[in-house]
Amino acid sequence: SIRFLDFRVSLFALTDIKIEKTNHSLLSVRMKKALSVSRGGALINSNGQKGEKETAGIEADWCDYSGEHFGIVEGIAILNSPRNIWNPSKCFTRDYGFFSPTNMNFLNEGLEKKKKESLTFEYRIVVHAGVLSQDNVQELYEDWIKNLK
């Protein structure tokens, strides 16, 4: 079975601001340890790269994390909207179960916004029971972005 959660957040600057580098920011998922790569789970991105060593800091349209728990494969994919300022997004991934599509860990120069400016981010979260192949997730991604309004 598959469930979708569409996530959209807008940040409005009430004064001039500078967003600094931070590794745990905005939207992230922390998988149950039993589903983590370090316990035999799988982490793959839209480029076909796997695990933390291949996916951390790499631009990708989506990342999918899954593993087996009590004999059932469960997973979560985070799809990055092409309307986001960072697209494709650099992913912050960890084999212990954490992943995030936001680039705030890679803001070496920071991001400045003037008073009254805004910044909007959109993601689709796909929660799934059962195995989703890279092609399956890519198809879900393409269907989603084709229908963005």
Side-chain angles (χ1 to χ4, degrees), residues 11 25 32 60-61 63 76 88 92 96 125 129-130 139 146:
L11 308 173
S25 59
K32 184 174 181 120
D61 293 324
C63 282
I76 296 176
F92 184 74
Y96 61 77
I125 301 166
E139 185 177 320
K146 179 174 57 181

Side-chain angles (χ1 to χ4, degrees), residues 2-138:
I2 296 177
R3 299 287 185 259
F4 300 105
L5 243 73
D6 289 336
F7 177 85
R8 183 175 188 195
V9 62
S10 294
L11 308 173
F12 297 94
L14 300 177
T15 185
D16 292 354
I17 62 168
K18 183 174 183 182
I19 300 170
E20 299 285 348
K21 178 179 178 165
T22 181
N23 59 351
H24 293 88
S25 59
L26 198 61
L27 174 68
S28 62
V29 171
R30 183 143 186 186
M31 303 297 287
K32 184 174 181 120
K33 277 188 180 184
L35 305 175
S36 70
V37 170
S38 56
R39 298 276 179 97
L43 168 62
I44 188 168
N45 67 17
S46 59
N47 307 320
Q49 296 158 308
K50 298 178 181 179
E52 178 182 338
K53 286 184 181 176
E54 293 181 19
T55 62
I58 303 300
E59 291 181 344
D61 293 324
W62 54 262
C63 282
D64 180 56
Y65 217 126
S66 62
E68 188 173 324
H69 191 235
F70 296 118
I72 299 169
V73 174
E74 302 171 315
I76 296 176
I78 301 176
L79 317 180
N80 185 48
S81 172
R83 296 193 294 212
N84 290 344
I85 64 167
W86 300 303
N87 182 60
S89 181
K90 290 183 180 179
C91 297
F92 184 74
T93 60
R94 294 294 183 253
D95 283 346
Y96 61 77
F98 183 90
F99 71 121
S100 174
T102 59
N103 280 23
M104 291 179 190
N105 186 51
F106 309 100
L107 279 176
N108 295 324
E109 303 300 318
L111 175 68
E112 294 184 16
K113 287 290 175 186
K114 299 289 183 197
K115 183 178 180 176
K116 296 186 180 179
E117 288 183 334
S118 66
L119 185 59
T120 298
F121 297 95
E122 302 178 296
Y123 303 95
R124 173 164 274 188
I125 301 166
V126 180
V127 180
H128 59 92
V131 177
L132 283 183
S133 70
Q134 181 181 357
D135 289 341
N136 296 143
V137 180
Q138 184 63 33

